[in-house]
Every structure is written in C-alpha cells, then in structure tokens.
Amino acid sequence: MKRCLERLYNGIIKENPTFVLMLGMCPTLAVTSSAQNGMYMGLATMFVLVLSNAMISAMRNIIPEKVRIPAFIVIVASFVTMLQMVLEAYLPAVKDLLGLYLPLIVVNCIILGRAESYASKNPVFPSLFDGLGMGCGFTIGLTLIGIFREIIGAGTVFGATVMPEAYTPIAIMKLAPGAFFVLACLTALQNKFKAPSATNTKADTEIACGGNCASCSGSSCASNKEMIDAQKEAIKAEKLAKAKAAAAAKAKAAEEAKANQE
C-alpha cells in the first residue's frame, strides 16, 4: 500500500505531468479555454491512463519486446475508442466539447511514457495507482489553468460569474494565445523560484531533465543519456589525470629529498 500511495503522491505533486514534467502540452494549450474543458479533458485522459496502465502491466510478460510500442498503442487506442463510444452514448455534449483532442489521447506522451517507463516493468496494482496519480495530477493541472484563463478571459469559473460587473474580460485569454501567456508566466515563476520543472537545469549538468534517470517518465531522449555518459567519462578522466599528476609530483619530491640527503 505504501508503494501505491507513493505513486499517487508522485503523480499529483512530485512528478506532476503538467507543472513539473511539462508533458501533454498539446491538450494543455488547446483545451483549457475554460475550467470545465480542462477538467473534462483531464478526466478523459485519466480514464485511459488507468486502464491502459493496468492492461499493459498485466500483459507485460507476453508482449514481445520488439513489438511492445505498437502493442501499447493498440491497447491505448482500444480504451480511447471505448471512451468515445461511452461519451457519444451518454454525454454527447462532452464529446463535442473535446472534439478532435479526444481521439488524440492515443498519442498523448503521458500515457505512452508511463506505459514504457512504469507499467511495462511493474505489477498491476502499483501500475494502476501510477496511472491514477498521473491522471489526477494532469486533471488538477488542466483545471487550474482553465480556471485562471476563464477568470481573466470571461470573469467566470465553471460558468458562474465571480468578477464584479465593472470588470472587462480580456478576451485573448480565452483564445489560443492566452494559453501560451499562461504557460510562459508559469514557466517564468518556476524558474524564478527554482521550483522543480523540466525547464530548470541543475548545476552539475547542462541538460533539461537534470540527468535523473530514476524518475524519467519517457521525456528524456537518447541524446540526453549520451550527454550524461559523456559528462561522467570526462569527470572520471579528469580525476584520474589529477591523481596521476599528484602521484608523479610526490615521487619527484621524494627523489629530490633523497638526493639532498646523499
């Protein structure tokens, strides 16, 4: 249970996909024109994330390594299709609201990243909680961004008026550029206060992910790993050269002392 609770904590706080890992930026920018849109998109993604993580974990020992990515996509696409059919049958307004971005959940990097980095290597129960934690974190992130954009852009939250009548809404915040403004402000604040973020670079490395492979969710690429290995080799070679120079200087000093005594 402790491991499951840790996956929930990581997904919501420590490795929040929106605010820390900065994954799934396409729906984050496109769908968060209102709090309601953001919440629906987050819940739809969480539905697929939880079920696909559980299914991939259950089948991890029978899926051949060479075809694992196509197999993951087929599993994810199956759950997305189920979700579309359920929404069309019972919540057609939500389906129309999410529009094109609903089928695009199939290629959401959060879902494929968790499938590759966690569900395919761990038991079903922790994988289910991993999907639940990441889904909750994604839903919270999109809803908060949607709330901010809706307040500034329309003076409402979930359709209810919260700003005084004298307030003039800034319409651009409801449009696509408003999402970029919000994301830019968020990133600037994270960098200003050195908060955990994919855009912050640690002091001992030049790559964005910080080289923390233990918490990698699939956002780091092969070139980052090569850069980490190259940095480690360079540091190791430098230490070895310094050790050899120190040993040579010590030997030389000993020879000179011996010669002086003679």
Side-chain angles (χ1 to χ4, degrees):
M1 182 55 73
K2 183 179 178 181
R3 187 179 179 185
C4 295
L5 294 177
E6 181 187 356
R7 299 319 307 169
L8 277 177
Y9 172 77
N10 282 359
I12 297 173
I13 305 294
K14 188 177 179 181
E15 299 175 5
N16 186 290
T18 303
F19 296 131
V20 179
L21 299 181
M22 291 191 157
L23 297 176
M25 287 294 105
C26 292
T28 301
L29 296 172
V31 183
T32 56
S33 58
S34 71
Q36 195 176 36
N37 288 7
M39 185 184 70
Y40 285 146
M41 188 67 206
L43 291 175
T45 305
M46 181 166 63
F47 173 82
V48 177
L49 189 54
V50 171
L51 295 181
S52 62
N53 257 19
M55 181 64 74
I56 289 169
S57 175
M59 298 179 67
R60 68 186 188 282
N61 294 326
I62 60 175
I63 296 177
E65 178 70 13
K66 292 183 179 179
V67 296
R68 69 185 190 286
I69 298 299
F72 294 167
I73 293 176
V74 169
I75 292 172
V76 173
S78 300
F79 286 118
V80 171
T81 303
M82 289 171 54
L83 175 65
Q84 283 185 279
M85 295 174 71
V86 170
L87 290 179
E88 189 170 1
Y90 298 103
L91 296 169
V94 175
K95 182 177 180 295
D96 294 339
L97 203 64
L98 298 180
L100 177 64
Y101 295 96
L102 190 58
L104 285 179
I105 292 176
V106 175
V107 292
N108 190 305
C109 52
I110 300 173
I111 296 175
L112 292 178
R114 300 319 295 174
E116 171 69 9
S117 65
Y118 195 86
S120 63
K121 301 170 185 172
N122 290 279
V124 174
F125 210 52
S127 298
L128 190 149
F129 272 85
D130 181 76
L132 185 61
M134 282 288 166
C136 287
F138 191 58
T139 303
I140 292 171
L142 263 61
T143 304
L144 289 177
I145 293 175
I147 288 174
F148 182 80
R149 290 181 63 188
E150 189 176 346
I151 290 176
I152 304 297
T156 61
V157 174
F158 287 101
T161 303
V162 294
M163 299 296 278
E165 293 183 0
Y167 175 73
T168 302
I170 303 174
I172 195 172
M173 295 301 290
K174 294 276 287 181
L175 304 177
F180 286 99
F181 290 150
V182 174
L183 187 63
C185 292
L186 172 66
T187 304
L189 288 174
Q190 286 177 298
N191 290 336
K192 172 67 177 177
F193 296 105
K194 300 187 185 305
S197 166
T199 60
N200 286 330
T201 302
K202 292 186 176 179
D204 58 348
T205 179
E206 295 179 353
I207 59 176
C209 67
N212 185 7
C213 295
S215 64
C216 177
S217 61
S219 59
S220 304
C221 60
S223 60
N224 274 357
K225 186 177 184 308
E226 292 174 0
M227 193 178 296
I228 295 171
D229 293 339
Q231 288 176 345
K232 288 180 179 178
E233 289 296 327
I235 294 172
K236 187 177 178 181
E238 185 179 358
K239 288 182 178 178
L240 185 61
K242 287 182 179 179
K244 286 183 178 179
K250 187 176 180 181
K252 184 178 180 180
E255 288 178 359
E256 290 177 353
K258 186 177 179 180
N260 292 334
Q261 289 177 356
E262 291 176 353

